[in-house]
Amino acid sequence: MARHFLNEPRVQKVSNRLIDMFLQHGSGRAVHRTLLQGLESNDREEAIQELHLNKIFALLSGEPTKAINTKSLDAVEAALALQTAIEDGEGVSDKIRTSIIQSASLQEDTDLQKILLGTAKKTGYPVGVIQKVLQLNSTRTPFKTQTQSVKSYPTKQLEPDWSFQDEAIQACLNAFRGKPNHKVGLVLPTGVAKPGWP
């Protein structure tokens, strides 16, 4: 079954809607519960079976290397289609936004990825939610908290870092070359071959 990564346009659209719901409802569990209720009230049994909490968190993670399969993506899309327009939910969005911006402003690093991860660790919110809030903040007039003016952060499209594969390949090749008569087995998952392999 095909897998769909977070940097694909179709998945980004779903992820953005889930982030909006997160900002409205306040947690990934609440988003999952709301989506399930919509499916249950419309007797969408097949979609209910595929709508898992871990898939919601994967879609909120902001990690381009995360992926979900077609059935799960279809189920989330079906659940989202049953949702009415997202509305501000009793100030939850402002509370989350304020918490994220305050925490990000206290990060000592200037690297965006480290700011995102540090803010996620401090607030407990998914990186995708944090990234969207900081992107929105950087396009508005500076957001004022009660105690300080919060700076805007540069944003960029996060790309997967596959460099760990090169290190693993090199270590394997060195082991094979070091002991040519050594009996070993190497298991490669489907789709790992890449151009230039010896």
Side-chain angles (χ1 to χ4, degrees):
M1 183 176 296
R3 296 189 60 73
H4 306 274
F5 289 88
L6 262 65
N7 57 3
E8 296 174 19
R10 177 185 174 191
V11 184
Q12 285 179 341
K13 183 177 178 181
V14 169
S15 181
N16 281 330
R17 288 225 40 217
L18 291 175
I19 290 169
D20 290 340
M21 286 188 71
F22 186 101
L23 291 171
Q24 178 189 3
H25 295 284
S27 74
R29 288 184 185 280
V31 170
H32 181 249
R33 186 169 48 250
T34 301
L35 293 175
L36 273 179
Q37 288 169 351
L39 292 172
E40 288 166 355
S41 64
N42 287 273
D43 296 321
R44 301 291 298 273
E45 190 61 37
E46 185 177 338
I48 291 170
Q49 297 301 320
E50 295 295 330
L51 189 68
H52 302 291
L53 181 60
N54 66 326
K55 303 304 182 189
I56 301 299
F57 279 112
L59 289 164
L60 292 169
S61 71
E63 295 180 36
T65 57
K66 294 263 185 177
I68 65 171
N69 63 41
T70 302
K71 279 189 175 182
S72 295
L73 183 57
D74 289 345
V76 177
E77 286 175 329
L80 285 170
L82 297 171
Q83 296 300 308
T84 56
I86 307 282
E87 300 174 358
D88 289 337
E90 299 179 2
V92 173
S93 180
D94 285 340
K95 179 182 175 187
I96 294 172
R97 183 171 174 259
T98 301
S99 173
I100 288 171
I101 293 171
Q102 285 178 338
S103 179
S105 71
L106 298 174
Q107 299 296 316
E108 295 180 3
D109 215 298
T110 57
D111 178 72
L112 176 62
Q113 184 65 21
K114 290 180 180 176
I115 290 170
L116 293 172
L117 294 175
T119 305
K121 184 175 182 181
K122 180 76 174 172
T123 63
Y125 297 131
V127 169
V129 173
I130 293 166
Q131 186 173 16
K132 184 166 185 178
V133 167
L134 294 180
Q135 284 173 337
L136 290 174
N137 188 57
S138 69
T139 62
R140 297 177 180 168
T141 51
F143 181 86
K144 299 277 187 180
T145 68
Q146 293 178 345
T147 57
Q148 65 185 112
S149 173
V150 180
K151 55 192 173 185
S152 295
Y153 292 95
T155 57
K156 63 179 181 179
Q157 177 67 38
L158 298 179
E159 297 295 331
D161 178 9
W162 300 109
S163 61
F164 68 94
Q165 292 182 1
D166 296 328
E167 295 170 15
I169 292 166
Q170 195 57 50
C172 290
L173 291 174
N174 289 341
F176 292 144
R177 290 183 186 122
K179 297 181 182 178
N181 295 324
H182 195 69
K183 306 291 186 237
V184 296
L186 180 63
V187 178
L188 299 174
T190 304
V192 298
K194 63 185 209 182
W197 271 28

